[in-house]
Amino acid sequence: MAKIAPFRALRYNAEKIADLNNVMAPPYDVISPALQDELYQREPHNVVRLILGKTDEKDTEADNRYTRAARDFSQWRQEEILMRDAEPSIYLYDQEYPLENGEEVVRQGFMALTRIEDFSSGMVKPHEKTLSGPKTDRLNLTRACRANFSPIFSIYSDPCCALESLSRKERERAPDVAVTDGDGVKHRLWQLSDPDQIAKIRSLIDNKPLFIADGHHRYETAINYRNEMREKHSEYSGKELFNYVLMYFSNMDDKGMLIFPTHRLVHGLQSFNLPALLDALKTYFEIEAADFNPLKTAERRRVRERLLDKGKQAHALALFVGGGKVYYLTLRDESIMDEFFDQKSPKALRTLDVSILHRLIFEKLLGIDPEAQEKQTNLKYVKNFDEPFESVASGEFQAAFLMNPPRMSEVRDVANAGEKMPQKSTYFYPKLLTGLVINPIEEDETITE
């Protein structure tokens, strides 16, 4: 099944960077233009200049965001801003973050290289669709810099939590890197280079399938880059670094592994009419209307708690269209969803809350076809639970659909069936920090078995 390997990471040199917090960044795909500017100004060596360089109207084929990233990457290595670890290592990586109830949660994992596998092998399983634009962008960056800057986020199943037990003692010592991001998430990294420990970790993972939680575009980019390099090096052995990619591994059965929901905002529907929508929804859902003041934080929290409670018994959503009401929608019968899928589609996909919302409500009742959904013509996706209420109350959006988080078992079952979840089905938080470790894809190196 999955094959992992230690590697000699490039890391920021603490003797040259006074504050490592200033050179880190979130993944490229969550960096807004405003945050990009802030990261550029924060530190001249911030990793954003490598993963999401600025564009210019004067850019040419010889001078663009990718060539500038390659130039900076090379220069930072020469100046020893980035230095390579001497020994092949695996890097334990924990993230500590607060829930809204104040509870502190720690998600444990580690970073290593994993052998790139085609999805057809069943060893690495995706659950999301990808788009061509981001893959072209990431491939151009990989070609220019020959490096993995950000790890792909994968999950595996181990109900016994053997790896967490194995690494407990190592995590008791002071971390090699400890930084805090803009959301207050604490990131801790330990370099682990002991061959015996590494061998035990590899044995625990080598027989397990991996599920991609986040980074689908980067993984498909790694496949494409590997294929290009194999064409250039027809005598490849399979141990070259381009056959591997940087990955973060975390146990889906660990208590610190949580999935959060992504809520939907609707806008721009000329025929939107609440009484007509509620009348149509009654055919499929039990509807409970509750008095609600969106301006009060305590009442918004009660909406979420009520929605979570309903979701334990059946498939449930909440609808807010302004005014003093919120509507809880509970699906009457799962078999309703059979008409939207062929008979071969797994139940896990047919009965996802997001499938119910997208297929039944958006497509059938509101007339938002799949193309419009993919292009987000009438939709906006938001993570924060308060934002939907504020956006609808302001009149900017017509309606908000509040979601429960998908279950980990649903992600696993959909991926195992070879299917893809609807867009923005999962939100794995916190995001992995970019800049902790970098994997240089050196052409003259091979993996150490």
Side-chain angles (χ1 to χ4, degrees):
M1 302 298 280
K3 293 293 182 183
I4 69 168
F7 70 111
R8 295 172 54 224
L10 276 169
R11 292 195 283 151
Y12 278 101
N13 183 355
E15 294 183 1
K16 300 243 178 163
I17 302 295
D19 186 351
L20 292 176
N21 287 282
N22 291 333
V23 292
M24 304 293 164
Y28 80 100
D29 54 349
V30 299
I31 298 177
S32 66
L35 180 56
Q36 183 189 40
D37 286 340
E38 180 187 332
L39 294 172
Y40 257 74
Q41 296 169 11
R42 188 177 295 175
E43 223 283 353
H45 301 99
N46 189 285
V47 75
V48 73
R49 296 173 185 264
L50 306 181
I51 63 172
L52 191 67
K54 290 186 176 182
T55 58
D56 190 285
E57 60 182 15
K58 297 179 181 179
D59 281 351
T60 65
E61 188 172 335
D63 184 13
N64 52 61
R65 61 166 22 165
Y66 309 112
T67 62
R68 290 190 288 272
R71 179 199 64 203
D72 288 343
F73 185 44
S74 176
Q75 183 175 334
W76 295 358
R77 294 185 69 175
Q78 292 175 14
E79 295 174 352
E80 295 188 343
I81 300 297
L82 295 170
M83 293 189 66
R84 201 156 182 211
D85 287 333
E87 298 177 288
S89 305
I90 282 176
Y91 300 84
L92 304 178
Y93 177 22
D94 289 1
Q95 295 167 287
E96 182 178 345
Y97 60 102
L99 301 179
E100 291 192 3
N101 63 7
E103 179 187 357
E104 291 287 333
V105 177
V106 177
R107 185 173 68 200
Q108 298 185 341
F110 69 94
M111 289 186 284
L113 302 188
T114 188
R115 188 175 65 193
I116 300 167
E117 301 285 354
D118 294 325
F119 292 138
S120 59
S121 71
M123 298 180 187
V124 178
K125 301 172 184 285
H127 75 272
E128 285 185 355
K129 295 179 180 178
T130 55
L131 304 173
S132 59
K135 287 186 287 189
T136 299
D137 167 57
R138 293 299 95 181
L139 184 56
N140 286 336
L141 181 63
T142 307
R143 287 167 175 161
C145 297
R146 299 194 299 278
N148 304 141
F149 295 119
S150 302
I152 294 151
F153 186 162
S154 75
I155 54 179
Y156 63 91
S157 179
D158 177 19
C160 296
C161 296
L163 194 147
E164 287 79 5
S165 298
L166 177 66
S167 59
R168 184 176 293 119
K169 185 175 182 180
E170 195 70 28
R171 285 179 159 95
E172 290 176 353
R173 68 177 174 87
D176 297 306
V177 179
V179 293
T180 303
D181 67 24
D183 292 331
V185 179
K186 299 174 183 176
H187 303 260
R188 297 187 287 267
L189 186 83
W190 295 265
Q191 180 185 2
L192 180 60
S193 55
D194 178 74
D196 292 336
Q197 285 282 81
I198 291 174
K200 291 177 182 178
I201 292 174
R202 295 178 75 173
S203 67
L204 287 171
I205 301 297
D206 277 357
N207 63 345
K208 297 182 182 296
L210 301 174
F211 301 84
I212 298 178
D214 205 358
H216 287 77
H217 290 95
R218 276 168 276 153
Y219 191 81
E220 290 192 31
T221 294
I223 293 175
N224 294 334
Y225 184 72
R226 177 205 65 182
N227 293 345
E228 283 188 1
M229 294 301 290
R230 284 183 170 183
E231 287 185 7
K232 292 180 180 178
H233 304 273
S234 58
E235 301 299 320
Y236 67 88
S237 67
K239 294 183 179 180
E240 297 84 359
L241 290 184
F242 57 73
N243 292 289
Y244 287 74
V245 68
L246 176 61
M247 187 171 279
Y248 166 80
F249 306 80
S250 192
N251 184 4
M252 67 172 68
D253 300 299
D254 183 67
K255 63 181 181 180
M257 173 60 70
L258 302 175
I259 308 178
F260 294 84
T262 302
H263 313 291
R264 274 70 169 160
L265 290 166
V266 175
H267 63 92
L269 294 179
Q270 295 186 6
S271 60
F272 184 82
N273 179 277
L274 177 60
L277 175 59
L278 290 175
D279 189 57
L281 287 169
K282 287 178 183 177
T283 304
Y284 308 100
F285 297 89
E286 296 284 350
I287 301 178
E288 176 191 331
D291 293 332
F292 172 61
N293 184 344
L295 300 179
K296 292 186 176 181
T297 300
E299 292 202 21
R300 293 198 294 266
R301 296 294 174 266
R302 277 198 291 271
V303 169
R304 183 175 56 191
E305 291 168 3
R306 181 69 173 145
L307 180 59
L308 284 168
D309 186 58
K310 285 182 171 292
K312 294 175 183 177
Q313 310 300 324
H315 297 284
L317 314 168
L319 168 64
F320 177 64
V321 292
K325 297 284 185 183
V326 64
Y327 301 91
Y328 298 99
L329 314 176
T330 304
L331 191 69
R332 295 180 185 273
D333 185 352
E334 288 183 346
S335 65
I336 291 169
M337 296 303 298
D338 291 347
E339 70 173 276
F340 300 101
F341 296 88
D342 60 48
Q343 294 181 346
K344 295 181 181 180
S345 297
K347 181 181 178 181
L349 178 62
R350 295 197 305 271
T351 58
L352 286 171
D353 289 351
V354 288
S355 294
I356 294 166
L357 176 60
H358 281 249
R359 294 292 186 94
L360 176 54
I361 299 179
F362 286 165
E363 190 172 343
K364 182 169 184 175
L365 302 184
L366 291 177
I368 306 175
D369 62 34
E371 183 179 357
Q373 293 179 31
E374 186 167 317
K375 293 181 178 179
Q376 301 183 29
T377 304
N378 302 106
L379 300 176
K380 181 183 177 182
Y381 300 89
V382 296
K383 308 295 194 302
N384 185 284
F385 192 79
D386 294 322
E387 185 176 344
F389 301 110
E390 297 165 357
S391 298
V392 173
S394 70
E396 183 182 0
F397 291 87
Q398 295 166 302
F401 288 89
L402 293 310
M403 310 295 296
N404 278 321
R407 298 177 178 87
M408 195 71 68
S409 60
E410 292 175 323
V411 177
R412 181 191 60 223
D413 291 347
V414 170
N416 276 334
E419 297 284 354
K420 304 289 174 40
M421 299 175 94
Q423 192 175 21
K424 305 292 183 181
S425 294
T426 57
Y427 176 40
F428 288 88
Y429 179 85
K431 294 290 186 178
L432 303 178
L433 205 58
T434 299
L436 290 170
V437 298
I438 294 170
N439 172 45
I441 309 174
E442 307 288 6
E443 292 191 26
D444 58 346
E445 286 190 29
T446 56
I447 289 295
T448 303
E449 294 292 346

